[in-house]
């Protein structure tokens, strides 16, 4: 029952739903009773001022924080208490607010690490290398090369990520998340600290990913222009509570949002 | 060989037999070099040909090729030729309007475009090209939501072809059999210094016979490796990466993208290399700049061994006998400097390198030859399918362009113009009988439009374009190109324009080379914020003055052009740019446009004024128009009394 | 009270006194770790070196005698009767401050902001260096340490505890060595002085600032280098006191440098960054070791002391990874 | 300067990912291996075998093992000596219990047993990190040494508490015990080290190696993108202990011939191996070999110079040696904290860029 949007993208049923999530760190309430859903194939934005609980919500979705109350439903099943890597295996990949790349490895290795959930050859085969292990490695290397081609980072394929400039590191991290070929992609402020040109590139990448790979995207972002253009639906958080939820236009004209977040007389 | 194949599709069939498993083409993609053998390439081309036939491609139809060097675009050329059609490659970085003129003039019915950027240009000019029916694209990225009925993906067309061949198994083979040497094989549009580009019509004989003669002349084999990075619309690329490749059967390597050409050159290590002089010049400039930043010890070693190379390197390469100690010193230099230098440039495996299109500076030419790189000059033009004169091994000189190519006769007309005749002479200019008659007379002699003369050793020496060769007021010959080339041989001068026709003395505009001069400025901590500011810097003027004096000294000793020494010069405040129409696509000076645009400056040079204000219109990278103003200094240059002939 | 209870008490008392010795060494580690983030493995060897130097001064030994003899074939041994104990201590402290200055000048200056593992390895290198240097300087034979501390069984303890025993049980009274008691006294004194110093004096606060973040401290104008010299000097003095105590107990010999390994579990228990943690940790380990040996050790073949401390520390770590008093490590993504 | 890379292009991913992609490196390594396997066995004598080659090979194997754990997976361990002891005693018990067993199988089985012990002592690594883990591994070190001292079953109730390697033959030639010819023991160890070095390289460059390095660089991010920390850390402990166990077995059976827990496998050995991988280069297979070579050949060199050259009494030489090693370690950690491997990487980079500046 996917109704196509105007530019031909199919938005499906609910992929992920959080119900009455409450999260506190020793008395400090980060999130109070928040519920919203993310539909298959859409670009869902989560906005709010600093400290509104955006990143905490992302950490709850990616299984890093376990909420005191509330449930997380993923693809129709209630999520049991899981370790973060099990959540990743279910098909959720993410990028981090301040880049969490593996400094000791090259760009290519970082991207290949993104494919860990898909590689299974055991220790014995890896030791021999020639044969099944190498075949698996090459198959995954080809998929990663397509992502490298897609992001246009061929030239830095073999440079250690520690040496890359900020903009490129952000792109490599997006590449690592794409390599996981996840159902749901969580982007934590992908455009923070970028200049105009880099922002335009990143927007095009996000749109292409959603369009060509059909990946559902949950996007945390401050730049209102970007959010309004990119996202199909927006949820607004403020001081750990849900302020508004709807299409960009509905949210922009919602008085509560205007008063709390966009400043009066927007 | 018995009756030799006289068209490229026939050559393709031969090669698919004799070199079936040898690699014919490679392309750096997804991190490694994807490769196709001659047999695989033939299968891909035949599938495309069938696809084109399925889309209604008739004999005689034109297929335009728009994009950088991609295997699929080279296959497009051969597929069109299989069906008796005519491929029309176009410069990929020309703007939409320039492409519109060429496509409409050639009545191109089909277009193979590389990627979204080129397809967008095609869609933009579609209404003004009624003949254009089908556009086929190679890289589908970004075009998923394009909804146009006559837009096809390359692989879809091939799939269509593989269906088509089921009903008409022999169709393509029959079409290939119909083809013969005299048929038209390709249209090559010249960049044309003045007016609209002209479509040079070349037959199979033109290209194949010239390719065969030149391949035998240089003993090319199927083991050559060539990197194809020059525009496909340029006759040089067509001969080296297509003509000679099909004749000799060697392998063509397409780089990953324009930005990775130097790393791909180093990875492939070609054995047969072609480049215009400006590419060699850039390499030399980067080498000298990087060596300036090296440690003292390394610099001293580098300079010492480069002197050794300058003394003996060229002789060793030419095979002349050199003292034992020199040979020993040179081999030590080879281990320490020359071989590693060639390795970083990607020239370690080069057996033969050609340069043409403009004169190359003597020290640039000798620099590469002293390293043991067999670089040779040739003189040619599109109308001659490239080869007019070539330098045979053993007779290589910096300032001449060699002896007439095999099968080509070269004469000097009474007005000093070089004329030639041979198998490579073009069929005609497409839909332009009048220029064809002007360029090619009834006995088949072609007028090159260049002035030149045969030196004592029988090698041709080119002076300048015949129509640019002017006369000073005192009647002596004024050859602007010859003077400009001498100026451009200095690394810090990028472009120069000389004036003197119907004047008392010679003057010149100078364009500094931002990279070389910028590097000099950094090392001597000379601050500059923009190109314009650096160009106006007095120290830079002194540097230019010193170089022009050197040119004057060498002109003084030249028997024909001794009194065209430069008396006054100025440094332009902006770089001459093809986008402003001041240069052609291959960076040749457009004198008429420059004369109109900078008239006020030229007059200032001749009325002795020290300063001159100028306001020029400029197009920025993204096509916006703007204007920049500047106050330029003009400076006098000491000249030398001509050296009288001793004998 | 029954003799068994008394025996247990005796074992615990000795355990406590041994614990004090462990915490004394652990203190040196904590000081340097707090101020420079360096886990100084060389603390043990510094104690050995300090003890050797002290004995050297007391007996008037000529440093590098062995080297001079082999080089020039001479047979020189001592330069005179030696120096009274009190002066010898002052001189040794001087040597240790010089040593601290040299370590900072030659080694630590280059090591700002290096990874902790690299710093740890440097101190092991330093330990090897000091060991070789100490042997060359003062010779490798075992020396007796005598600084006039009361030693031998304490009669007072013996009589009072004997009276606790129930009538008719011929319980001989606890054997407690006066040396341990005096060592405990000095240790407690030292701890009080140090805690006061680090909590309330200006340099003490600077010391704690440097411990948190080298660069931050630099930005507020604390001269990292002087702080490090001060800290290493204090650690040197603590090492001297530990050297004296351990030396008096079991002689000045190589095994003394192994007490560093004894201090590690103490640090685990008490946490690397807290002085009270080091003291309490030391006591727990001391008592625990002796009790375990006394009760179960025998059945397992004895000599369980050398691994029991680690077992206990490991057990503790599983529940509180940052030790008793260390701050809770919160990881952010 | 020596590198000629133009023309050396890759047409397949397996070629691109091979062990030595650059032609010159390939030739150098195969040359060295050919020299080691074909030439050295004929030149070897007892002195070279016992004091230079065998120790280097044994310590190289141990360094390989510890580098996998500390260099690639970031888990610092001070229990190397203890695990080597487990390898040695396992080898001894296997040799005594199954005299007919081929020596290669014995050493590998000893490695496997040590791997299991390693996993056991690796469990704490799930909750604790950094120094605390290092000290926790110290617990295993002291406990194991105490175990081998106190429980007579391990040394077959022999009076002295020492274990001695009985003679075993391989293809008819004695390989352990006194009569084993030097070239035989050398070749035996060399084969083991070469084969397992390549295996280590294969592990490190594949999926498992990447998950180790992910845990080392940022373990929280690694877990969130799908690396199971339990499997990664324990596999690192297992593989590392397997290598260290084998090196212990080789040291006991082939190098020393007999062993006594506290002095041959004491805490000093743990520090020695940790020095090797730090000076050699954390996280590099080549680094393990360079570190092992440095710390086995250096003392031999010093001894020869001081005792042989200057004729100093051995005890003075021993002290000076200790002092010099300590000084050298500090010097190295200041000049190149990333070790000899990094020094070699920088020199190689300079040679590839020659004559241009690095």
């Amino acid at each position: 029952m996917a109704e196509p949007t105007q530019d031909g993208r199919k938005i499906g049923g609910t992929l992920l739903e959080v119900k009455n999530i409450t999260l506190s760190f020793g008395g400090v309430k980060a999130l109070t009773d928040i519920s919203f859903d993310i539909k298959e194939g859409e670009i869902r934005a989560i906005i709010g001022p600093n400290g509104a609980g955006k990143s905490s919500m992302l950490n709850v979705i990616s299984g890093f924080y376990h909420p005191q109350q509330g449930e997380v439903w993923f693809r129709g099943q209630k999520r049991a208490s899981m370790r973060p890597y099990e959540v990743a295996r279910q098909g959720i990949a993410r990028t981090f607010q301040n880049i969490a790349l593996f400094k000791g490895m090259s760009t290519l290795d970082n991207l290949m690490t993104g494919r860990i959930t898909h590689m299974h050859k055991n220790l014995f085969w890896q030791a021999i290398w020639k044969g099944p292990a190498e075949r698996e490695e090459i198959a995954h290397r080809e998929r990663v090369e397509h992502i490298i081609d897609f992001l246009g980072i061929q030239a830095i394929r073999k440079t250690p990520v520690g040496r890359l400039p900020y903009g490129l590191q952000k792109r490599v991290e997006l590449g690592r998340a794409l390599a996981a070929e996840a159902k749901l992609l969580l982007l934590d402020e992908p455009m923070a600290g970028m200049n105009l040109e880099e922002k335009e590139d990143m927007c095009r990448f996000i749109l292409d990913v959603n369009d060509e790979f059909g990946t559902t995207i949950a996007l945390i972002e401050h730049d209102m222009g970007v959010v309004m253009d990119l996202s199909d639906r927006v949820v607004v958080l403020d001081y750990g509570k849900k302020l508004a939820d709807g299409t960009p236009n509905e949210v922009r004209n919602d008085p509560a949002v205007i008063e709390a977040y966009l400043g009066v007389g927007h | 060989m018995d009756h030799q194949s006289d068209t490229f599709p026939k050559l393709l069939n031969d090669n698919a037999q004799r070199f079936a498993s040898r690699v014919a083409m490679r392309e750096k993609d997804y991190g490694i070099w994807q490769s196709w053998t001659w047999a695989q390439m033939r299968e891909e081309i035949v599938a495309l040909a069938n696809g084109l036939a399925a889309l209604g491609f008739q004999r005689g139809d034109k297929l335009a090729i728009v994009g950088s060097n991609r295997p699929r675009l080279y296959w497009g050329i051969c597929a069109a030729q299989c069906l008796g059609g005519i491929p029309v490659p176009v410069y990929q970085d020309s703007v939409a309007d320039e492409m519109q003129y060429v496509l409409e003039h050639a009545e191109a019915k089909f277009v193979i475009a590389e990627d979204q950027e080129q397809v967008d240009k095609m869609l933009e000019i579609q209404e003004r090209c009624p003949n254009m029916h089908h556009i086929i694209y190679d890289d589908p990225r970004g075009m998923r939501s394009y909804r146009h009925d006559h837009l096809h993906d390359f692989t879809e067309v091939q799939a269509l072809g593989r269906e088509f061949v089921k009903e008409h198994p022999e169709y393509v083979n029959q079409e290939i059999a119909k083809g013969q040497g005299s048929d038209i094989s390709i249209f090559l549009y010249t960049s044309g210094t003045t007016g609209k580009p002209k479509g040079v019509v070349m037959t199979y004989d033109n290209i194949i016979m010239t390719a065969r003669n030149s391949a035998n002349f240089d003993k090319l084999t199927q083991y050559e490796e060539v990197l194809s990075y020059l525009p496909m619309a340029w006759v040089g690329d067509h001969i080296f990466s297509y003509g000679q490749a099909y004749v000799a059967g060697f392998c063509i390597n397409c780089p990953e993208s324009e930005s990775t050409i130097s790393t791909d050159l180093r990875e492939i290590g070609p054995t047969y290399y072609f480049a215009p002089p400006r590419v060699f010049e850039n390499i030399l400039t980067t080498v000298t700049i990087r060596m300036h930043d090296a440690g003292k010890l390394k610099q001293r070693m580098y300079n010492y061994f480069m002197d050794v190379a300058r003394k003996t390197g060229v002789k060793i390469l030419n095979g002349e006998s050199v003292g034992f100690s020199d040979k020993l010193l040179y081999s030590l230099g080879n281990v320490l400097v020359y071989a590693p230098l060639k390795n970083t440039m990607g020239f370690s495996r080069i057996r033969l390198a050609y340069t043409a299109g403009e004169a190359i500076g003597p020290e640039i030419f000798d620099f590469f030859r002293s390293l043991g790189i067999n670089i040779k000059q040739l003189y040619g033009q599109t109308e001659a399918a490239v080869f007019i004169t070539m330098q045979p091994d053993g007779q290589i000189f910096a300032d001449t362009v060699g002896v007439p190519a095999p099968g080509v006769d070269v004469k000097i007309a009474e007005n000093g113009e070089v004329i030639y005749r041979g198998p490579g002479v073009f069929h005609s200019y497409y839909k332009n009988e009048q220029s064809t008659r002007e360029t090619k007379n009834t006995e088949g002699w072609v007028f090159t439009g260049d002035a030149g003369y045969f030196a004592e050793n029988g090698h041709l020496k080119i002076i300048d374009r015949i129509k640019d060769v002017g006369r000073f007021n005192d009647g002596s010959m004024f050859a602007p190109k010859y003077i400009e080339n001498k100026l451009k041989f200095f690394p810090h001068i990028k472009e120069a324009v000389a004036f003197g026709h119907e004047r008392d003395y010679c003057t010149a505009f100078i364009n500094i080379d931002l990279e070389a001069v910028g590097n000099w400025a950094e090392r001597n901590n000379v601050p500059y914020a923009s190109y314009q500011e650096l160009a106006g810097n007095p120290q830079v003027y002194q540097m230019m003055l010193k170089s022009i004096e050197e040119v004057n000294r060498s002109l003084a000793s030249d028997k024909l052009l001794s009194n065209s020494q430069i008396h006054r010069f100025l440094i332009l405040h902006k770089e001459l740019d093809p986008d402003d129409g001041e240069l052609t696509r291959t960076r040749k000076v457009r004198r008429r446009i420059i004369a109109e645009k900078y008239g006020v400056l030229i007059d200032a040079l001749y009325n002795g004024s020290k300063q001159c204000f100028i306001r020029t219109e400029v197009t920025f990278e993204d096509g916006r128009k703007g204007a920049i103003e500047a106050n330029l200094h003009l400076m006098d240059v000491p000249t030398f009394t001509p050296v009288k002939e001793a004998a | 009270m029954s003799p068994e209870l008394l025996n247990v008490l005796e074992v615990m008392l000795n355990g406590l006194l041994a614990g004090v010795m462990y915490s004394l060494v652990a203190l040196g580690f904590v000081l340097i770790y707090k101020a420079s983030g360096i886990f100084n493995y060389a603390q043990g060897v510094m104690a050995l070196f300090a003890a050797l130097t002290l004995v050297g001064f007391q007996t008037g030994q000529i440093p590098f005698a062995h080297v001079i003899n082999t080089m020039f074939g001479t047979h020189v041994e001592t330069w005179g009767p030696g120096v009274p104990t009190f002066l010898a201590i002052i001189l040794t402290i001087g040597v240790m401050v010089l040593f601290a200055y040299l370590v900072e000048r030659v080694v630590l200056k280059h090591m700002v902001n290096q990874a902790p593992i690299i710093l740890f390895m440097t101190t092991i290198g330093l330990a090897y260096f000091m060991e070789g240097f100490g042997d060359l300087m003062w010779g490798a034979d075992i020396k007796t340490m005598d600084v006039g501390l009361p030693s031998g069984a304490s009669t007072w303890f013996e009589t009072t505890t004997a009276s606790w025993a129930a009538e008719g049980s011929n319980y001989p009274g606890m054997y407690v060595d006066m040396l341990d008691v005096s060592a405990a006294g000095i240790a407690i004194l030292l701890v009080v002085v140090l805690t006061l110093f680090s909590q309330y004096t200006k340099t003490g606060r600077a010391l704690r600032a440097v411990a948190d973040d080298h660069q931050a401290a630099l930005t507020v104008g604390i001269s990292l280098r002087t702080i490090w010299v001060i800290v290493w000097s204090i650690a040197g003095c603590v090492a001297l006191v530990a050297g004296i105590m351990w030396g008096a107990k079991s002689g000045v010999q190589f095994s003394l440098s192994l007490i560093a390994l004894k201090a590690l579990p103490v640090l685990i228990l008490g946490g690397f960054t807290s002085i009270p943690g080091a003291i309490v940790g030391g006591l727990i380990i001391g008592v625990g070791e002796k009790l375990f040996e006394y009760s179960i050790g025998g059945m397992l073949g004895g000599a369980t002391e050398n691994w029991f401390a680690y077992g206990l520390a490991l057990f503790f770590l599983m529940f509180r990874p940052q030790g008793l008093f260390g701050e809770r490590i919160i990881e952010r993504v | 300067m020596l590198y000629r890379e133009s023309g050396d292009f890759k047409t397949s991913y397996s070629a691109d990912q091979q062990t030595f992609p650059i032609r010159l490196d390939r030739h150098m390594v195969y040359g060295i291996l050919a020299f080691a396997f074909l030439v050295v066995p004929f030149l070897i004598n007892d002195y070279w075998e016992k004091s230079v080659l065998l120790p280097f090979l044994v310590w190289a194997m141990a360094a390989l093992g510890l580098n996998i754990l500390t260099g690639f997976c970031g888990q610092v361990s001070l229990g190397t000596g203890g695990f080597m002891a487990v390898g040695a005693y396992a080898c001894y018990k296997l040799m005594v219990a199954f005299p007919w067993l081929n020596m290669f199988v014995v050493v590998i089985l000893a490695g496997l047993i040590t791997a299991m012990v390693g996993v056991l002592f690796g469990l704490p690594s799930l909750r604790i990190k950094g120094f605390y883990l290092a000290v926790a591994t110290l617990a295993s070190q002291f406990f194991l040494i105490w175990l081998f001292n106190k429980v007579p079953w391990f040394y077959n109730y022999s009076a002295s508490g020492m274990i001695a390697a009985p003679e075993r033959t391989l293809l008819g030639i004695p390989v352990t015990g006194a009569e084993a010819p030097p070239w035989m023991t050398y070749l035996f160890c060399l084969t083991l080290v070469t084969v397992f070095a390549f295996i280590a390289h294969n592990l490190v460059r594949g999926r498992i190696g990447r998950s180790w390095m992910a845990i080392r660089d940022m373990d929280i991010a690694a877990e969130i993108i799908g690396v199971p920390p339990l499997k990664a850390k324990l596999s690192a402990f297992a593989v590392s202990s397997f290598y260290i166990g084998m090196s212990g077995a080789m040291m006991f059976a082939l190098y020393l011939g007999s062993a006594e827990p506290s002095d041959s496998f004491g805490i000093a050995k743990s520090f020695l191996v940790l020095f090797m991988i730090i000076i050699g280069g954390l996280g590099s297979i080549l680094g393990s070999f360079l570190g092992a070579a440095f710390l086995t050949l250096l003392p031999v060199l010093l001894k020869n110079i001081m005792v042989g050259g200057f004729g100093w009494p051995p005890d003075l030489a021993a002290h000076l040696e200790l002092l010099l090693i300590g000084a050298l370690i500090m010097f190295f950690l200041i000049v190149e904290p990333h070790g000899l491997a990094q020094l070699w990487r920088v020199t190689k980079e300079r040679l590839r860029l020659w004559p241009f500046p690095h």
Side-chain angles (χ1 to χ4, degrees), chain B residues 232-271:
Chain B
M232 289 177 75
W234 196 44
V235 70
D237 179 78
H238 191 61
I239 283 288
F240 289 104
S241 310
Y242 190 78
Q244 289 185 334
Y246 273 67
V247 163
F250 52 71
C251 175
I252 296 302
N253 301 284
C254 302
E256 190 165 18
S257 68
E258 260 115 34
S259 59
T260 64
I261 285 178
S262 52
T263 29
D264 296 336
L265 174 69
R266 185 168 181 210
E267 271 183 30
I268 283 294
T271 58

Side-chain angles (χ1 to χ4, degrees), chain D residues 36 47 49 85 118 238 254 262:
Chain D
Y47 168 77
E49 179 225 5
L254 296 126
S262 46

Side-chain angles (χ1 to χ4, degrees), chain D residues 58-59 84 246-258 264-265 269:
Chain D
V58 165
W59 291 116
M84 283 176 83
M246 280 200 297
S247 79
M250 280 157 61
M251 180 156 149
F252 157 66
L254 296 126
Y255 172 38
L256 299 177
S258 68
S264 12
F265 303 112
K269 295 293 185 290

Side-chain angles (χ1 to χ4, degrees), chain C residues 224-239:
Chain C
L224 201 60
R225 293 239 285 284
T226 38
I227 286 292
W228 274 359
V229 169
I230 296 169
V231 157
W232 278 71
S233 316
I234 301 171
C237 304
V238 166

Side-chain angles (χ1 to χ4, degrees), chain A residues 141 145-146 149-150 154 157 204 211-212, chain B residues 28-32 141-142 144-145 256:
Chain A
R141 166 79 188 264
E145 284 293 342
H146 283 279
D149 187 62
F150 172 73
Q154 294 91 342
R157 184 178 283 117
R204 194 168 51 75
D211 182 17
E212 303 214 358
Chain B
K28 180 83 182 280
D29 209 4
Y30 298 129
I32 49 170
R141 182 121 72 78
R144 238 152 68 87
S145 49
E256 190 165 18

Side-chain angles (χ1 to χ4, degrees), chain C residues 61-112:
Chain C
Q61 218 184 336
I62 294 174
F64 298 103
H66 192 30
V67 176
I68 299 160
N69 295 347
T70 31
M71 288 280 201
F72 311 105
T74 56
H75 293 287
V76 72
E77 266 311 311
T78 60
W79 47 269
V83 158
T85 315
F86 185 73
L87 186 57
I89 291 181
I90 304 294
L91 283 174
T92 315
I93 289 177
V95 164
M96 293 314 285
V97 169
L98 177 68
F99 161 75
Y101 178 77
L102 280 177
V103 161
E104 196 288 321
R105 177 69 38 214
V106 170
V107 177
L108 294 183
K109 187 154 67 76
H110 312 285
M111 304 295 279
V112 175

Side-chain angles (χ1 to χ4, degrees), chain C residues 34 204-214 216-217 220 222:
Chain C
K34 263 171 86 70
R205 205 168 304 109
L207 179 140
R208 273 186 284 117
V210 161
D212 276 350
D213 186 332
H214 295 180
V220 296
I222 298 172

